[in-house]
Amino acid sequence: MKVSRIALVGGLAVSSLALLSGTASAHVSVQPQGEAAKGGYATVDFKVPNERDNASTVKVEVSLPADHPLASVSTQPVPGWKAEVTKAKLAKPLEVHGKQITEAATKITWTAAGSKIAPGQFQQFTVSMGQLPEDADKLVFKALQTYDNNEVVRWIEEPKDGAPEPQTPAPVLKLSAASDDHHGGASAAAGTKADDKADAKGHDEKKTAAETSGSDTTARVLGVVGILVGAAGVAFGVLAGRRRQA
């Protein structure tokens, strides 16, 4: 009897732990496709799982950071979904590639148009964005997830370093340190190294060709000398034979 009770309690504990961990990990998140470097452009995926057993997700709204406006935002088409990018005037214009940008995207809304995120499923929404800020280590995107039963889940709590994860955390995109490649420095250096390597290779090829040519010339000279020496030997032999006969 005690063994049965222990087994029952243990089973309930494991089930509860699995349920809680599943709930905590299944939230709206954002991940870069490759690298999201400061000062560059990136393609990211917003992953939206369905957390309900009796409802489907029909709308997703992602707010873009107002403290770091993004001048360029474009969405990748998703079958069965309609995407809309909302823009607003900037209080302070941005300068991007020498141009003044007076407005920036503030929100992206995906609305179901023949498709839904059903229970047990998830959907990824791909976005290209930039120019990423150079003075920030991360970008926070607050999101709203709407179900077809009119329930709205607000993924807006910003995670804090060293603190437990919030119940409904906002998606956070971590930015990596900018490399010279994003500003053309590394590419130019690589090009210079490639040119130096090509020059060295050309020099080596010329040197090899010169050495080969010199070797060929020496061989020809030695060949001619050998022929002359041989001819002289033959002539000497003939003369010596005639003298003996005389």
Side-chain angles (χ1 to χ4, degrees), residues 7-21:
L8 178 60
V9 173
L12 291 174
V14 171
S15 300
S16 301
L17 180 61
L19 179 61
L20 290 174
S21 61

Side-chain angles (χ1 to χ4, degrees), residues 8-86:
L8 178 60
V9 173
L12 291 174
V14 171
S15 300
S16 301
L17 180 61
L19 179 61
L20 290 174
S21 61
T23 302
S25 61
H27 52 68
V28 178
S29 60
V30 58
Q31 292 293 332
Q33 292 184 3
E35 184 181 27
K38 299 178 182 180
Y41 291 78
T43 299
V44 303
D45 290 326
F46 287 94
K47 183 178 179 180
V48 183
N50 193 318
E51 294 187 314
R52 300 295 179 261
D53 296 328
N54 57 354
S56 298
T57 299
V58 293
K59 188 177 182 180
V60 178
E61 301 170 77
V62 175
S63 295
L64 305 179
D67 53 343
H68 297 292
L70 299 171
S72 175
V73 174
S74 58
T75 60
Q76 186 177 67
V78 179
W81 291 83
K82 178 184 177 181
E84 180 182 2
V85 178
T86 303

Side-chain angles (χ1 to χ4, degrees), residues 69 83 90 93 96 99 116 153-154 160 177 179 189 211:
L90 293 172
V96 180
K99 296 182 179 180
K116 298 180 180 181
V153 179
R154 301 169 62 84
K160 302 295 184 182
S179 61
E211 291 174 350

Side-chain angles (χ1 to χ4, degrees), residues 184-196:
S187 297
T192 301
K193 291 181 179 179
D195 292 341
D196 292 343

Side-chain angles (χ1 to χ4, degrees), residues 224-240:
V224 172
V225 171
I227 293 172
L228 293 175
V229 171
V234 172
F236 179 78
V238 172
L239 291 175

Side-chain angles (χ1 to χ4, degrees), residues 152-242:
V152 178
V153 179
R154 301 169 62 84
W155 303 98
I156 61 174
E157 296 181 81
E158 183 174 349
K160 302 295 184 182
D161 294 336
E165 184 180 63
Q167 185 175 359
T168 53
V172 176
L173 177 65
K174 294 183 179 180
L175 304 181
S176 60
S179 61
D180 290 338
D181 191 34
H182 289 279
H183 301 284
S187 297
T192 301
K193 291 181 179 179
D195 292 341
D196 292 343
K197 187 175 181 180
D199 291 342
K201 183 178 179 182
H203 177 71
D204 291 341
E205 290 176 350
K206 290 179 181 179
K207 183 178 179 181
T208 303
E211 291 174 350
T212 302
S213 177
S215 299
D216 291 344
T217 302
T218 302
R220 292 192 188 100
V221 172
L222 292 176
V224 172
V225 171
I227 293 172
L228 293 175
V229 171
V234 172
F236 179 78
V238 172
L239 291 175
R242 288 179 179 178

